Structures are given as structure tokens and as C-alpha cells.
Amino acid sequence: MPAAAVLSSEVLAKYEPVIGLEVHVQLLTATKAFCGCANHFGSEPNTNICPVCLGLPGALPVLNAKAVEFATLAALAINCEIRERSIFARKNYFYPDLPKGYQISQYDKPIAENGWIDVPTADGTIKRIGVTRLHMEEDAGKSLHDGFADSATRTYLDLNRCGTPLIEIVSEPDIRTPDEAFEYLTRLKEILLYTGVSDCNMEEGSLRCDANVSVRLKGAERFGTKAEVKNVNSFRFVRAALEYEIERQVEVIESGGHVMQESRLWNAAEGRTYSMRSKEQAHDYRYFPEPDLPPLIVTAEFLAAAKSKLPELPEARRARIIADYELTPQDAATLTASREFADRFEVAAKGARSPRRMANVLLSEVGGRLKALGLEQENSPVSMDGIVLAADLLDEGKISSKQMKQLMDVCFEKGENFPAVYEREKPQQITDSSAIEAMVDQVIAANPKQVEQYRGGKKTLAAFFVGQVMKASKGQANPALLNEQVTKKLEG
Ligand code: ADP
Ligand code: ZN
Ligand code: MG
């Protein structure tokens, strides 16, 4: 296969990509989907296993109610309809890491269908991506191909993962660009993290994505034949794999060929996809209803209980935070990056004299310093309470913003929290209004041009005079008195 780079952008522009994503998510239940074994990543191999998850003859599955609750929460969070009566099915295939010889999944009657996720697009609008279905299933074990002395000739099996509860979320083929796919995945992960049903840790395999993609001539009605890129382990790689795959398919078509319906593997090191042997992909899963499990009934009570556990979701929370604290969308996005952080911020902000000022100290003073140092919020020397104190002192005019910045500098230099530094340094403040008045007079006398402009209507120059006096006072002028004097003198 020649490199795809020979395609001109004009040729590519004749085609429209069509993308649909299948995302597998491990649920954070204490135990597995159908047995009482621990659902835990990183245990010694083959220690969290029992006759049920190994599929020994006669062992019977019992559905984990927590897994149903989590699946329901996730489904509600992505706007799905919950089916009152859903059916588990056996998906049969042979693979060494699947000792039962089948996976318990759901087929034509999944627990949830017809949802959607809103994603931002390149032109600033919001696009609604349909979610076809969300179904419950169990994970398989793991084949260990590397890391043993005899890995060249043997493959080892770790069956701890067998029976781990999963949800699979299948999107409609509504996605049109690799960037949209990236956004969809980012939003989906964020929503799932907010609901708390999964840690979505891609390195540990708690979230896995298969990307389906086809291309068609723009304006064509029918979809082209799709290829499925399997098991891409980061969202960036999904985007890169889709970009590669789109070019590859266009090239196949442009050179008179046909895209094959197949599964392909992404090779991150080479930045390309490879066809998986098609024979092994020609599965007939022989789905049939799982005879050992009754239909899953989601009662009205169960559904109501799940709804009541649904947290405020990221999009809604951002909108509310923008309104409540008069912040920019960018600031709101920073504050809601995780539910835990947003919670800590909001609890603290409620205790501040001015929640908006508190948010600003958090974002620009503390956030700015953390960013410059490459630190995360949880490693900040200044706690939320420290930020509240700083904001309150500013609000009461007990310190100037310059003094606050100096105190924050000390906090970050010495790794100390704000209250301790403030108590020790207790910055001086000039509260003698005649002293401040004298300084204001001086600055006004030294800047006749700005005075003229101010009096000619450029009122924003007040800040310039305040700044000059503040500088002259080494940041010690009481801000309220200073503002008062500046206005009085300029207006007078
Ligand atoms: P399969 O039967 O091969 O599993 P499905 O119809 O179940 O295919 O779809 C699997 C995923 O592929 C879904 O996310 C769907 O949106 C997407 N998909 C289906 N047809 C196409 C297509 N022609 N091009 C791109 N994606 C597609
Ligand atoms: Zn078990
Ligand atoms: Mg399918």
C-alpha cells in the first residue's frame, strides 16, 4: 500500500468521511458483573477468579445490581431511553482469554437506546451526535505476550479481568471529522467521570475505543464501506488513526479499488493502520438469549433512584458557573475540568464574601502560578481556604492586589499556605487619608495630559492614577481610600 501522502487536498476535499465510535467502559463496581470476585486492576494474575467467571460447568451467573445502577446512570447522562425489560445474550467466540467460550452481552434488546451527546465543532456551533445504544456486557481476560523469560514461545493468561462489568456505547454514524470524533470522546469521558461510574483510565484499559470510518463522495446518499480501527488507546491516536484511514480509503477509491469491510489495527509507532487477518474477523457470534439469566427489569422505582443520583453534568454546570460567578466560558471550563475540583471550588466560593473574586484569585493568581510551575491543583501550597482568605482581604480592602500578589509569591516560594504567610507578614497599609491625598495630588500634578483626557471623558484612566499612586506607595495604600481620593480629585 503506497503512502497516503500523495493525495492532494483537492482530491480529499471531494470526499466526506463518515465516522461512528464504539466505546467500551469498565464499571467501577467492587465486584464483577455476575459473581462476587473483586473487580480490581493490578492484582496478582489469576487471583480474582471463581467457577462463575471461569465458566466452569454448573456455575451460574447472578447479576450485580450495582452494575445495572451504573449502566443506568451512564445511559441517563447521555440522554438515552432506558428499556424496561432488556435481555442478556451469549456472544460466542473462541479465544484463549475467554474460558467460557462466550461473552455475556446484550444484543437486540439492550438496556438503553436513542441517546445523544452535544459536542462543540470547529465553527463554534454545537453538534448533536446520536447514541444508538448502550448495552451491558462482561470483559474477557488478558493474554500476556511479553515480559516472561519464555515469551518468545509462550503466551500466558491472566483471567482476573474475566467478568468485569462493561458498558458499550455505540454512536450513530453522525461524526464527520477526526476532530469531531476527538471531541465526542472527550465529552463522553468527562460525562462518565462526572457520573462516577468509571475511572475511564485508558492506560489501564478502563476505556477503550473502536473507530468505524468510511468515505463517500460529497453529496452521495449512501455510506461507503467502513473499516473498523480497533483498540486505539488514546483519543489523540483515535484522531490520528482516523486521519490516516480517511486518506487511505480515498486513495483506494481514487485508484479504482474498493474499500474492504475489515478490522484494522492502529500502529502508533508507524502512524498507520494495518489490516487484521480477515479470516479471524469473519465471526459468526451465534447470539442467543442467555439461558442462565432472567430478563433484566428496570422498575420505575429503580429508575427514579438512579435519576436522583445523577449529578449536575459538565455542560450544565459550566453554564451555571458562567452565570453564577460572571466568568468566561474558558474559566468555567477550567473550574469544571473535574467534578471533584468543581465541588471543592464551589464549597469554598460559597464561604467567600465575593464568590466571583474568589474564583478570580483561584484562576489567575493561584492557577497562573501553578501553570507556570507545571503543578496540579492538588499540589498547590495555597488551599481553597487560603484563596478565600486572600479574596476576602481584597474585598474588604485590607490588602491591595499588589500586596496579595506579593503574599502569593511568598506562598509559592516557601511552599506555605496563604493564611500562615499573611499572619506573619501582615502587610503594612496606609490608611491615613491625608497621606493618600498627598500622593494622589502628586501623581495628578505629574500627569497633566492624562488628567485632561480623563476630564475629556476617558474615565477608564482612573485606573491609571490608582495604579500610579499604588506604585508610589509600594502597594500599601488602602485601596478603598485611594479609589475615593482619585475620583474626588479628578472630578473636582
Ligand atoms: P457492525 O454490524 O459491523 O458492528 P454496526 O452497524 O453495528 O456495524 O455499527 C458499528 C459502528 O459503526 C457504529 O458506531 C456505527 O455508527 C458505525 N457505522 C456503521 N456504518 C458505518 C459506515 N458506513 N461508515 C462509518 N461508520 C459506520
Ligand atoms: Zn468470579
Ligand atoms: Mg454492531
Side-chain angles (χ1 to χ4, degrees):
M1 183 72 47
V6 295
L7 284 171
S8 69
S9 51
E10 293 88 77
V11 171
L12 265 176
K14 292 197 301 183
Y15 291 87
E16 177 184 55
V18 171
I19 298 165
L21 300 174
E22 296 167 288
V23 176
H24 288 89
V25 181
Q26 284 182 359
L27 300 177
L28 266 183
T29 53
T31 56
K32 293 187 182 180
F34 304 110
C35 62
C37 290
N39 172 26
H40 181 251
F41 180 87
S43 298
E44 277 296 299
N46 302 309
T47 52
N48 299 330
I49 50 177
C50 76
V52 173
C53 54
L54 293 183
L56 300 187
L60 289 171
V62 177
L63 179 59
N64 181 342
K66 198 72 187 171
V68 181
E69 182 191 316
F70 280 178
T72 306
L73 266 178
L76 289 170
I78 53 173
N79 311 293
C80 285
E81 295 157 14
I82 311 293
R83 192 189 289 274
E84 198 186 320
R85 185 175 189 273
S86 65
I87 305 289
F88 285 99
R90 286 190 185 179
K91 180 180 182 180
N92 301 277
Y93 65 94
F94 288 105
Y95 207 74
D97 62 20
L98 188 74
K100 287 217 291 269
Y102 60 86
Q103 183 187 17
I104 303 179
S105 181
Q106 295 189 308
Y107 186 52
D108 55 349
K109 294 200 165 47
I111 186 167
E113 292 167 299
N114 303 326
W116 41 264
I117 297 175
D118 282 340
V119 302
T121 60
D123 63 10
T125 58
I126 297 290
K127 177 166 173 180
R128 184 157 288 186
I129 309 293
V131 170
T132 316
R133 56 190 274 148
L134 177 152
H135 68 251
M136 300 183 68
E137 59 185 29
E138 61 177 335
D139 215 339
K142 250 189 240 174
S143 300
L144 309 173
H145 301 289
D146 304 307
F148 297 92
D150 52 356
S151 281
T153 53
R154 281 170 204 267
T155 288
Y156 286 78
L157 290 172
D158 177 3
L159 300 177
N160 280 345
R161 203 175 67 179
C162 288
T164 293
L166 297 177
I167 48 176
E168 178 175 343
I169 298 157
V170 182
S171 88
E172 288 287 297
D174 287 347
I175 300 167
R176 291 290 172 270
T177 66
D179 281 334
E180 273 176 34
F182 183 90
E183 284 298 334
Y184 170 89
L185 292 169
T186 304
R187 300 292 146 170
L188 174 59
K189 177 177 168 184
E190 187 180 64
I191 292 168
L192 292 172
L193 283 174
Y194 263 62
T195 60
V197 304
S198 175
D199 61 21
C200 297
N201 184 331
M202 289 190 88
E203 278 103 71
E204 294 182 359
S206 320
L207 189 153
R208 310 194 286 270
C209 177
D210 300 335
N212 299 269
V213 54
S214 62
V215 297
R216 61 178 168 183
L217 280 170
K218 277 185 182 153
E221 230 168 77
R222 288 179 50 179
F223 288 154
T225 305
K226 73 177 158 70
E228 179 192 31
V229 188
K230 296 207 79 99
N231 275 330
V232 196
N233 64 4
S234 87
F235 294 170
R236 276 174 222 290
F237 285 161
V238 171
R239 183 163 54 192
L242 286 169
E243 276 161 5
Y244 176 87
E245 192 55 27
I246 289 162
E247 293 203 16
R248 186 191 68 83
Q249 293 185 11
V250 169
E251 184 162 294
V252 167
I253 296 168
E254 284 287 310
S255 56
H258 293 282
V259 173
M260 306 248 285
Q261 168 119 13
E262 62 183 352
S263 292
R264 300 179 67 90
L265 274 184
W266 168 246
N267 182 318
E270 296 175 26
R272 57 164 293 181
T273 63
Y274 281 95
S275 179
M276 285 164 74
R277 274 159 296 171
S278 50
K279 232 182 180 178
E280 285 185 12
Q281 278 308 299
H283 285 136
D284 172 6
Y285 290 120
R286 295 179 295 122
Y287 277 103
F288 62 85
E290 165 62 63
D292 292 338
L293 285 167
L296 167 57
I297 308 294
V298 174
T299 63
E301 289 91 337
F302 188 90
L303 196 56
K307 277 186 182 152
S308 74
K309 285 184 188 164
L310 206 60
E312 186 180 25
L313 293 168
E315 208 58 58
R317 191 160 195 178
R318 273 191 287 275
R320 184 179 56 73
I321 281 181
I322 290 168
D324 283 4
Y325 304 91
E326 300 167 63
L327 295 174
T328 63
Q330 181 55 47
D331 287 344
T334 307
L335 291 171
T336 54
S338 81
R339 179 180 163 192
E340 190 266 11
F341 182 59
D343 286 348
R344 287 203 295 127
F345 156 66
E346 291 214 86
V347 167
K350 281 198 179 75
R353 288 168 55 99
S354 160
R356 173 163 192 249
R357 199 188 283 274
M358 187 271 169
N360 282 321
V361 174
L362 168 62
L363 290 164
S364 50
E365 296 304 326
V366 176
R369 283 173 174 78
L370 289 172
K371 200 169 167 201
L373 294 168
L375 286 176
E376 297 296 322
Q377 278 291 346
E378 61 257 34
N379 302 318
S380 172
V382 179
S383 68
M384 287 289 180
D385 288 346
I387 294 166
V388 170
L389 176 64
D392 283 356
L393 291 168
L394 276 178
D395 206 59
E396 293 168 287
K398 289 191 177 154
I399 55 173
S400 65
S401 62
K402 175 140 190 233
Q403 289 171 325
M404 189 269 294
K405 285 176 203 288
Q406 288 166 341
L407 293 172
M408 286 290 178
D409 285 342
V410 177
C411 293
F412 278 80
E413 268 160 37
K414 305 208 165 150
E416 286 180 294
N417 203 351
F418 189 87
V421 173
Y422 173 70
E423 278 310 314
R424 190 175 62 233
E425 315 254 320
K426 272 284 162 61
Q428 293 289 316
Q429 216 180 45
I430 301 169
T431 48
D432 172 355
S433 29
S434 57
I436 292 175
E437 190 176 354
M439 286 190 285
V440 172
D441 284 340
Q442 269 180 16
V443 167
I444 283 180
N447 297 284
K449 211 160 150 196
Q450 280 84 349
V451 174
E452 200 179 305
Q453 286 174 333
Y454 178 93
R455 293 190 174 140
K458 205 173 168 200
K459 301 290 179 194
T460 49
L461 274 174
F464 163 78
F465 290 98
V466 169
Q468 291 295 308
V469 178
M470 203 44 112
K471 207 164 142 194
S473 77
K474 299 196 173 65
Q476 294 179 354
N478 176 283
L481 289 174
L482 171 56
N483 276 315
E484 192 185 301
Q485 288 292 335
V486 165
T487 318
K488 196 174 108 191
K489 294 281 169 175
L490 287 173
E491 296 292 339

